[in-house]
Amino acid sequence: MRNISKAVMIMLVLCLSVSVFAGGTPDQGGSNMIGVAMPTKSLQRWNQDGAYLKEKLEANGFTVDLQYANNDVSTQVNQLENMITKGCKVLVIASIDSTALKGVLQQAADNGVKVVAYDRLIMETPNCDYYATFDNYKVGQIQGEFIVDKMGLASGKGPFNMEVFGGSPDDNNAYLFNQGAMDALKPYIAKGQLVINSGQTDMSVIAIKAWKPEGSQARMDNLLTAYYADKKLDVVLSPNDSLAQGIVASLKAAGYGSADKPFPVLTGQDCDKINVKMMINGEQSMSVFKDTRTLAERVVIMVSDIMNGKTPEVNDTTNYDNGVKVVPSYLCVPVFADKNNYKQILIDSGYYKESDLK
Ligand code: BGC
């Protein structure tokens, strides 16, 4: 009898250690922990997104495990695995590579963990439960329509020389920004009012990996040398602010920014502090403001509903197909920003302090 119970004890201990070492059974008992996985600290917006999410989730009584992955896919996968093992009930994820999370999200589903894609859709998996973002096509449309207005294209002006940049090829948003902008610009390219001297418009050649300013600077350097030695560049479509920073650095080095060689009209997105200063200085023409407070608030509502067994409210059930399913989405509204309205939308709303922009 004593031997039998000893054997049972040994078996129990063995089973427990195997499950612990395999990182197996997460502690899900009573946990109200939410995992928040952000891509990188290197861009201003993700620091703000992470901070707001943490603050607002905590204010709603949740415990938060917030991680940044230094734009490294395997780091993000490890962080998500840890969150599942720690017993997080919901994962809020701004992915680095939209197609790289299939495995870890299967693990999440197997453990009953729900997944909210944050800002960037997670592709090729059935295990992305909800998506909260800004209307990404609309962001591109605002940029494209700005160029149409600013250059007087609808009243026949031109021809103007233009070049086009794309966002990171592993980010689904990059394709939507491009589509929204190009749908507005294509009629004027077809009519010859906008001339792309490099001929480069396909995402396979214009996309800049990881949204790095160094990448857009290098590509702009190459374009200026190859196609603009004896021509002036009038317009640059940049999908976001980090790429606009690299583009402006390149333009400055090539002598743009003087009376006889003014900066081209240049778009952006995010209203990063550096770029708002660039707008004030006339180096960048516009940006698109996506109030991270609005997105974070929406995600907190989604998370609370999931945790309370309710179905979260969405406002788009058709547009965000991740290749496996249409992910129920909530789209927030992006807002046009330039040097004329930045005070109203950024300072008066308390998003930045005047001193942030000095
Ligand atoms: C976001 C943009 C951001 C870019 C680079 C995109 O997925 O929607 O707001 O500028 O990533 O971080």
Side-chain angles (χ1 to χ4, degrees):
M1 192 60 190
R2 273 180 61 194
N3 277 348
I4 291 176
S5 48
K6 216 173 169 186
V8 169
M9 282 292 285
I10 291 169
M11 287 286 285
L12 266 174
V13 168
L14 272 175
C15 284
L16 268 174
S17 10
V18 166
S19 86
V20 166
F21 282 116
T25 324
D27 161 30
Q28 299 220 331
S31 159
N32 71 348
M33 198 191 288
I34 310 299
V36 177
M38 291 285 126
T40 174
K41 284 196 161 189
S42 68
L43 295 192
Q44 187 199 316
R45 74 152 293 182
W46 302 114
N47 292 286
Q48 271 171 223
D49 286 276
Y52 282 134
L53 276 169
K54 187 166 164 22
E55 180 191 317
K56 288 181 178 155
L57 285 167
E58 283 174 354
N60 278 267
F62 299 111
T63 316
V64 178
D65 182 12
L66 168 64
Q67 302 291 337
Y68 286 86
N70 200 20
N71 263 340
D72 181 62
V73 176
S74 57
T75 305
Q76 186 164 62
V77 171
N78 286 338
Q79 290 173 339
L80 292 167
E81 280 170 355
N82 281 336
M83 288 171 183
I84 297 167
T85 308
K86 278 187 201 164
C88 287
K89 292 282 169 61
V90 180
L91 302 178
V92 177
I93 308 171
S95 61
I96 296 164
D97 180 336
S98 63
T99 59
L101 302 180
K102 293 171 221 174
V104 69
L105 293 196
Q106 187 55 52
Q107 201 180 318
D110 293 344
N111 284 286
V113 178
K114 295 284 182 210
V115 171
V116 177
Y118 184 87
D119 193 86
R120 298 172 171 174
L121 186 58
I122 304 173
M123 308 299 283
E124 297 174 16
T125 171
N127 303 312
C128 174
D129 298 288
Y130 296 98
Y131 180 36
T133 190
F134 284 87
D135 184 336
N136 293 301
Y137 181 87
K138 179 91 189 152
V139 169
Q141 197 177 37
I142 293 174
Q143 295 167 337
E145 285 175 354
F146 169 78
I147 292 174
V148 172
D149 281 359
K150 186 80 185 168
M151 307 313 285
L153 298 176
S155 52
K157 294 213 175 117
F160 299 110
N161 295 322
M162 176 171 84
E163 291 297 334
V164 176
F165 284 70
S168 192
D170 48 11
D171 182 348
N172 185 57
N173 289 354
Y175 300 89
L176 298 171
F177 300 148
N178 181 258
Q179 212 184 322
M182 291 310 274
D183 283 353
L185 297 173
K186 263 180 201 149
Y188 303 102
I189 298 171
K191 284 189 214 156
Q193 286 170 263
L194 292 172
V195 181
I196 301 171
N197 288 286
S198 69
Q200 298 176 6
T201 52
D202 199 90
M203 279 295 278
S204 63
V205 282
I206 64 170
I208 304 292
K209 182 91 181 119
W211 299 92
K212 286 211 165 132
E214 298 83 352
S216 59
Q217 182 169 355
R219 177 163 180 263
M220 189 80 258
D221 284 349
N222 290 337
L223 292 173
L224 290 174
T225 311
Y227 304 99
Y228 296 92
D230 54 1
K231 286 190 194 75
K232 204 170 65 58
L233 184 58
D234 304 304
V235 184
V236 182
L237 173 70
S238 166
N240 90 328
D241 281 356
S242 61
L243 299 192
Q245 288 170 24
I247 291 164
V248 166
S250 170
L251 289 166
K252 279 184 176 166
Y256 281 83
S258 61
D260 53 332
K261 212 175 172 191
F263 283 111
V265 164
L266 171 63
T267 58
Q269 161 184 203
D270 292 332
C271 287
D272 281 352
K273 288 176 196 165
I274 297 180
N275 297 72
V276 179
K277 290 184 204 167
M278 284 164 55
M279 290 201 291
I280 297 168
N281 292 339
E283 296 164 351
Q284 180 175 332
S285 319
M286 60 82 75
S287 189
V288 178
F289 179 46
K290 304 196 299 188
D291 193 330
T292 39
R293 296 170 300 188
T294 314
L295 188 57
E297 269 156 29
R298 175 49 54 185
V299 168
V300 173
I301 296 172
M302 275 187 168
V303 169
S304 305
D305 283 346
I306 294 170
M307 293 294 279
N308 291 320
K310 286 200 244 156
T311 306
E313 183 193 347
V314 292
N315 62 10
D316 185 301
T317 50
T318 49
N319 280 314
Y320 286 92
D321 187 334
N322 77 349
V324 174
K325 69 180 206 186
V326 177
V327 182
S329 304
Y330 194 100
L331 310 187
C332 302
V333 182
V335 172
F336 170 82
D338 72 355
K339 69 168 188 293
N340 300 315
N341 73 352
Y342 83 90
K343 277 200 176 135
Q344 187 197 334
I345 59 172
L346 298 174
I347 312 253
D348 297 353
S349 76
Y351 197 74
Y352 293 145
K353 293 194 282 296
E354 191 97 54
S355 58
D356 290 333
L357 306 174
K358 287 272 145 41

